[in-house]
Amino acid sequence: MAEGVLFDLAASLIEMLGLWRTTNYSASKTTSKRVICEGKHNLHSLTLQCNILEDNEMAIERLQPPSNLKVLHMSHFEGVRLGGWDSSLNNLVKLELNLCGQCQYLPKLDQLRYLEELRIKWVGAEYMCSSGEDDDFDANLFFPSLVTLQIEDCYNLKWWWWKKEVDGNNIRSFPRLSNLSIYHCSHLTSMPLFPSIENVRLYKTSSMALKDTFKMMRGSKAHNTHPNISLLRSMDIEHCPDLTSLLVEGIDNLPSLRSVSIRHCRNLTSVLEGIDNLPSLESIRIYNCPNLTSLLEGIDNLPSLEFINIADCPNLTSIPDSFRRVGNSTIWGCPKLEQR
């Protein structure tokens, strides 16, 4: 089906519900779900921008998109509960929720077996999923295909589950998650593990979720319950005031790590200490970390390192000798280091 036809089809469907370009909702109140969805089985991508309606939740529930929908973008939903679509989202591959500030309850996204990309921005919920102890919870279907996760401006978000799990043996893992970005979620302190992670980006966010994964990887390594984070390629961390050290003792090998960038983390004291093997590290950037005292302590063999930029770290006293042999190297604003 041509893109123009798809666009007209989506527009007419949404307009029937009073969700887009329509303020008069009276005609859709008497329209049944069956009539709305009838003949729409070729609709694979849908964008919804909700107007402020008297009953936003009922309007969304009436939509009932076809079960073969692949991509859904939704914004400006003003209801408290976003649900009633479980059967319609089973084949979803990409989901974006934006500007849903009143929404406190989300659908069971973790059970969507084909979902590869999830982006959530400005959603008011305090937790992402229902408890892992629910009777219908299937641990084998916990985001089985999710590759990219971005959470942004969710200022109320605290935990991943409604009931925070404290038993480390029951913590779930994203089996395929490669790309994780979290922005402006300062209260988020609990997340599932991500043993297959490749790229991490944190901005003005609690570092607890990242540290929990590294800690669990260390603790489970002896029991062979999870692989080490050997796929990790890049870490970009900025304005994380609770970050005191990057990585924990016991993770001795990061063979794929290529890039490390840390900026404006005022309580950071050490970076990548205790790592025995960083054969792929190509670049490292450290800016404005006033309490940083050591960097890559004990590591002198960095065969791939090509770029170093360290600035405004007044208490930094120690760097590997190999740093001084890197041609593209800039270090300034580190008076204690310069005195050595």
PDB file of all heavy atoms in Angstrom, residues 214-234:
ATOM      1  N   PHE A 214      26.716  -3.835  36.894  1.00  0.00           N
ATOM      2  CA  PHE A 214      28.113  -4.223  37.060  1.00  0.00           C
ATOM      3  C   PHE A 214      28.301  -5.066  38.319  1.00  0.00           C
ATOM      4  O   PHE A 214      29.052  -6.041  38.325  1.00  0.00           O
ATOM      5  CB  PHE A 214      28.999  -2.982  37.132  1.00  0.00           C
ATOM      6  CG  PHE A 214      29.122  -2.267  35.820  1.00  0.00           C
ATOM      7  CD1 PHE A 214      29.278  -0.893  35.778  1.00  0.00           C
ATOM      8  CD2 PHE A 214      29.072  -2.959  34.627  1.00  0.00           C
ATOM      9  CE1 PHE A 214      29.394  -0.230  34.567  1.00  0.00           C
ATOM     10  CE2 PHE A 214      29.176  -2.307  33.416  1.00  0.00           C
ATOM     11  CZ  PHE A 214      29.346  -0.940  33.386  1.00  0.00           C
ATOM     12  N   LYS A 215      27.598  -4.700  39.383  1.00  0.00           N
ATOM     13  CA  LYS A 215      27.719  -5.443  40.642  1.00  0.00           C
ATOM     14  C   LYS A 215      27.181  -6.854  40.489  1.00  0.00           C
ATOM     15  O   LYS A 215      27.779  -7.823  40.958  1.00  0.00           O
ATOM     16  CB  LYS A 215      26.979  -4.704  41.747  1.00  0.00           C
ATOM     17  CG  LYS A 215      27.131  -5.334  43.118  1.00  0.00           C
ATOM     18  CD  LYS A 215      26.442  -4.492  44.171  1.00  0.00           C
ATOM     19  CE  LYS A 215      26.601  -5.121  45.559  1.00  0.00           C
ATOM     20  NZ  LYS A 215      25.938  -4.296  46.601  1.00  0.00           N
ATOM     21  N   MET A 216      26.043  -6.977  39.832  1.00  0.00           N
ATOM     22  CA  MET A 216      25.455  -8.299  39.636  1.00  0.00           C
ATOM     23  C   MET A 216      26.316  -9.153  38.720  1.00  0.00           C
ATOM     24  O   MET A 216      26.444 -10.358  38.906  1.00  0.00           O
ATOM     25  CB  MET A 216      24.044  -8.165  39.056  1.00  0.00           C
ATOM     26  CG  MET A 216      23.012  -7.675  40.057  1.00  0.00           C
ATOM     27  SD  MET A 216      22.843  -8.768  41.488  1.00  0.00           S
ATOM     28  CE  MET A 216      22.299 -10.279  40.697  1.00  0.00           C
ATOM     29  N   MET A 217      26.940  -8.529  37.725  1.00  0.00           N
ATOM     30  CA  MET A 217      27.822  -9.286  36.847  1.00  0.00           C
ATOM     31  C   MET A 217      29.009  -9.845  37.628  1.00  0.00           C
ATOM     32  O   MET A 217      29.430 -10.977  37.429  1.00  0.00           O
ATOM     33  CB  MET A 217      28.333  -8.390  35.717  1.00  0.00           C
ATOM     34  CG  MET A 217      27.268  -7.985  34.745  1.00  0.00           C
ATOM     35  SD  MET A 217      26.483  -9.413  34.000  1.00  0.00           S
ATOM     36  CE  MET A 217      24.856  -8.737  33.713  1.00  0.00           C
ATOM     37  N   ARG A 218      29.533  -9.033  38.528  1.00  0.00           N
ATOM     38  CA  ARG A 218      30.647  -9.508  39.345  1.00  0.00           C
ATOM     39  C   ARG A 218      30.202 -10.646  40.250  1.00  0.00           C
ATOM     40  O   ARG A 218      30.842 -11.685  40.329  1.00  0.00           O
ATOM     41  CB  ARG A 218      31.195  -8.366  40.198  1.00  0.00           C
ATOM     42  CG  ARG A 218      32.318  -8.805  41.127  1.00  0.00           C
ATOM     43  CD  ARG A 218      32.638  -7.736  42.149  1.00  0.00           C
ATOM     44  NE  ARG A 218      31.495  -7.500  43.017  1.00  0.00           N
ATOM     45  CZ  ARG A 218      31.521  -6.716  44.085  1.00  0.00           C
ATOM     46  NH1 ARG A 218      32.616  -6.056  44.396  1.00  0.00           N
ATOM     47  NH2 ARG A 218      30.448  -6.543  44.821  1.00  0.00           N
ATOM     48  N   GLY A 219      29.058 -10.452  40.928  1.00  0.00           N
ATOM     49  CA  GLY A 219      28.608 -11.451  41.890  1.00  0.00           C
ATOM     50  C   GLY A 219      28.168 -12.750  41.251  1.00  0.00           C
ATOM     51  O   GLY A 219      28.323 -13.818  41.831  1.00  0.00           O
ATOM     52  N   SER A 220      27.629 -12.656  40.036  1.00  0.00           N
ATOM     53  CA  SER A 220      27.130 -13.871  39.392  1.00  0.00           C
ATOM     54  C   SER A 220      28.185 -14.586  38.578  1.00  0.00           C
ATOM     55  O   SER A 220      27.988 -15.714  38.148  1.00  0.00           O
ATOM     56  CB  SER A 220      25.951 -13.504  38.481  1.00  0.00           C
ATOM     57  OG  SER A 220      26.371 -12.616  37.471  1.00  0.00           O
ATOM     58  N   LYS A 221      29.317 -13.929  38.370  1.00  0.00           N
ATOM     59  CA  LYS A 221      30.358 -14.533  37.524  1.00  0.00           C
ATOM     60  C   LYS A 221      30.821 -15.874  38.077  1.00  0.00           C
ATOM     61  O   LYS A 221      30.995 -16.842  37.346  1.00  0.00           O
ATOM     62  CB  LYS A 221      31.532 -13.562  37.403  1.00  0.00           C
ATOM     63  CG  LYS A 221      32.621 -14.038  36.462  1.00  0.00           C
ATOM     64  CD  LYS A 221      33.731 -13.002  36.380  1.00  0.00           C
ATOM     65  CE  LYS A 221      34.839 -13.487  35.480  1.00  0.00           C
ATOM     66  NZ  LYS A 221      35.957 -12.529  35.430  1.00  0.00           N
ATOM     67  N   ALA A 222      30.969 -15.929  39.393  1.00  0.00           N
ATOM     68  CA  ALA A 222      31.452 -17.171  40.009  1.00  0.00           C
ATOM     69  C   ALA A 222      30.442 -18.299  39.883  1.00  0.00           C
ATOM     70  O   ALA A 222      30.798 -19.473  39.893  1.00  0.00           O
ATOM     71  CB  ALA A 222      31.779 -16.924  41.483  1.00  0.00           C
ATOM     72  N   HIS A 223      29.150 -17.922  39.740  1.00  0.00           N
ATOM     73  CA  HIS A 223      28.105 -18.939  39.653  1.00  0.00           C
ATOM     74  C   HIS A 223      27.691 -19.215  38.216  1.00  0.00           C
ATOM     75  O   HIS A 223      26.804 -20.030  37.969  1.00  0.00           O
ATOM     76  CB  HIS A 223      26.889 -18.474  40.449  1.00  0.00           C
ATOM     77  CG  HIS A 223      27.192 -18.255  41.902  1.00  0.00           C
ATOM     78  ND1 HIS A 223      27.599 -17.027  42.380  1.00  0.00           N
ATOM     79  CD2 HIS A 223      27.169 -19.093  42.962  1.00  0.00           C
ATOM     80  CE1 HIS A 223      27.789 -17.114  43.699  1.00  0.00           C
ATOM     81  NE2 HIS A 223      27.541 -18.356  44.074  1.00  0.00           N
ATOM     82  N   ASN A 224      28.309 -18.505  37.266  1.00  0.00           N
ATOM     83  CA  ASN A 224      28.014 -18.698  35.839  1.00  0.00           C
ATOM     84  C   ASN A 224      26.544 -18.491  35.527  1.00  0.00           C
ATOM     85  O   ASN A 224      25.981 -19.160  34.659  1.00  0.00           O
ATOM     86  CB  ASN A 224      28.449 -20.102  35.379  1.00  0.00           C
ATOM     87  CG  ASN A 224      29.944 -20.290  35.452  1.00  0.00           C
ATOM     88  OD1 ASN A 224      30.702 -19.386  35.109  1.00  0.00           O
ATOM     89  ND2 ASN A 224      30.384 -21.445  35.923  1.00  0.00           N
ATOM     90  N   THR A 225      25.899 -17.566  36.232  1.00  0.00           N
ATOM     91  CA  THR A 225      24.485 -17.318  35.986  1.00  0.00           C
ATOM     92  C   THR A 225      24.276 -16.269  34.910  1.00  0.00           C
ATOM     93  O   THR A 225      23.219 -16.213  34.315  1.00  0.00           O
ATOM     94  CB  THR A 225      23.795 -16.864  37.278  1.00  0.00           C
ATOM     95  OG1 THR A 225      24.494 -15.726  37.796  1.00  0.00           O
ATOM     96  CG2 THR A 225      23.792 -17.975  38.305  1.00  0.00           C
ATOM     97  N   HIS A 226      25.251 -15.417  34.665  1.00  0.00           N
ATOM     98  CA  HIS A 226      25.166 -14.411  33.613  1.00  0.00           C
ATOM     99  C   HIS A 226      26.537 -14.260  32.970  1.00  0.00           C
ATOM    100  O   HIS A 226      27.558 -14.407  33.627  1.00  0.00           O
ATOM    101  CB  HIS A 226      24.743 -13.047  34.167  1.00  0.00           C
ATOM    102  CG  HIS A 226      23.350 -13.013  34.682  1.00  0.00           C
ATOM    103  ND1 HIS A 226      22.247 -12.943  33.859  1.00  0.00           N
ATOM    104  CD2 HIS A 226      22.871 -13.047  35.949  1.00  0.00           C
ATOM    105  CE1 HIS A 226      21.164 -12.918  34.598  1.00  0.00           C
ATOM    106  NE2 HIS A 226      21.501 -12.982  35.855  1.00  0.00           N
ATOM    107  N   PRO A 227      26.581 -13.949  31.671  1.00  0.00           N
ATOM    108  CA  PRO A 227      27.871 -13.678  31.056  1.00  0.00           C
ATOM    109  C   PRO A 227      28.406 -12.345  31.542  1.00  0.00           C
ATOM    110  O   PRO A 227      27.672 -11.481  32.006  1.00  0.00           O
ATOM    111  CB  PRO A 227      27.528 -13.607  29.559  1.00  0.00           C
ATOM    112  CG  PRO A 227      26.090 -13.199  29.529  1.00  0.00           C
ATOM    113  CD  PRO A 227      25.465 -13.831  30.741  1.00  0.00           C
ATOM    114  N   ASN A 228      29.715 -12.173  31.433  1.00  0.00           N
ATOM    115  CA  ASN A 228      30.289 -10.880  31.741  1.00  0.00           C
ATOM    116  C   ASN A 228      29.880  -9.889  30.652  1.00  0.00           C
ATOM    117  O   ASN A 228      29.425 -10.292  29.579  1.00  0.00           O
ATOM    118  CB  ASN A 228      31.816 -10.998  31.811  1.00  0.00           C
ATOM    119  CG  ASN A 228      32.428  -9.870  32.607  1.00  0.00           C
ATOM    120  OD1 ASN A 228      31.751  -8.918  32.982  1.00  0.00           O
ATOM    121  ND2 ASN A 228      33.720  -9.982  32.861  1.00  0.00           N
ATOM    122  N   ILE A 229      30.042  -8.589  30.936  1.00  0.00           N
ATOM    123  CA  ILE A 229      29.606  -7.587  29.967  1.00  0.00           C
ATOM    124  C   ILE A 229      30.674  -7.395  28.895  1.00  0.00           C
ATOM    125  O   ILE A 229      31.178  -6.291  28.683  1.00  0.00           O
ATOM    126  CB  ILE A 229      29.263  -6.271  30.678  1.00  0.00           C
ATOM    127  CG1 ILE A 229      30.368  -5.882  31.669  1.00  0.00           C
ATOM    128  CG2 ILE A 229      27.933  -6.372  31.374  1.00  0.00           C
ATOM    129  CD1 ILE A 229      30.142  -4.529  32.287  1.00  0.00           C
ATOM    130  N   SER A 230      30.979  -8.441  28.208  1.00  0.00           N
ATOM    131  CA  SER A 230      32.092  -8.424  27.256  1.00  0.00           C
ATOM    132  C   SER A 230      31.764  -7.675  25.973  1.00  0.00           C
ATOM    133  O   SER A 230      32.670  -7.376  25.185  1.00  0.00           O
ATOM    134  CB  SER A 230      32.500  -9.858  26.912  1.00  0.00           C
ATOM    135  OG  SER A 230      31.409 -10.561  26.355  1.00  0.00           O
ATOM    136  N   LEU A 231      30.483  -7.362  25.719  1.00  0.00           N
ATOM    137  CA  LEU A 231      30.104  -6.673  24.496  1.00  0.00           C
ATOM    138  C   LEU A 231      30.122  -5.152  24.636  1.00  0.00           C
ATOM    139  O   LEU A 231      29.956  -4.448  23.637  1.00  0.00           O
ATOM    140  CB  LEU A 231      28.709  -7.120  24.048  1.00  0.00           C
ATOM    141  CG  LEU A 231      28.536  -8.611  23.747  1.00  0.00           C
ATOM    142  CD1 LEU A 231      27.087  -8.904  23.371  1.00  0.00           C
ATOM    143  CD2 LEU A 231      29.468  -9.049  22.632  1.00  0.00           C
ATOM    144  N   LEU A 232      30.320  -4.653  25.839  1.00  0.00           N
ATOM    145  CA  LEU A 232      30.269  -3.217  26.075  1.00  0.00           C
ATOM    146  C   LEU A 232      31.287  -2.477  25.210  1.00  0.00           C
ATOM    147  O   LEU A 232      32.479  -2.753  25.266  1.00  0.00           O
ATOM    148  CB  LEU A 232      30.533  -2.920  27.551  1.00  0.00           C
ATOM    149  CG  LEU A 232      30.448  -1.460  27.979  1.00  0.00           C
ATOM    150  CD1 LEU A 232      29.033  -0.918  27.779  1.00  0.00           C
ATOM    151  CD2 LEU A 232      30.874  -1.301  29.430  1.00  0.00           C
ATOM    152  N   ARG A 233      30.789  -1.502  24.406  1.00  0.00           N
ATOM    153  CA  ARG A 233      31.646  -0.771  23.468  1.00  0.00           C
ATOM    154  C   ARG A 233      31.848   0.686  23.875  1.00  0.00           C
ATOM    155  O   ARG A 233      32.928   1.233  23.652  1.00  0.00           O
ATOM    156  CB  ARG A 233      31.024  -0.818  22.064  1.00  0.00           C
ATOM    157  CG  ARG A 233      30.969  -2.191  21.457  1.00  0.00           C
ATOM    158  CD  ARG A 233      30.070  -2.206  20.230  1.00  0.00           C
ATOM    159  NE  ARG A 233      30.484  -1.229  19.240  1.00  0.00           N
ATOM    160  CZ  ARG A 233      31.332  -1.478  18.244  1.00  0.00           C
ATOM    161  NH1 ARG A 233      31.869  -2.690  18.117  1.00  0.00           N
ATOM    162  NH2 ARG A 233      31.645  -0.543  17.372  1.00  0.00           N
ATOM    163  N   SER A 234      30.820   1.324  24.422  1.00  0.00           N
ATOM    164  CA  SER A 234      30.967   2.741  24.748  1.00  0.00           C
ATOM    165  C   SER A 234      30.164   3.103  25.983  1.00  0.00           C
ATOM    166  O   SER A 234      29.082   2.566  26.214  1.00  0.00           O
ATOM    167  CB  SER A 234      30.525   3.610  23.559  1.00  0.00           C
ATOM    168  OG  SER A 234      29.129   3.549  23.375  1.00  0.00           O
TER     169      SER A 234
END
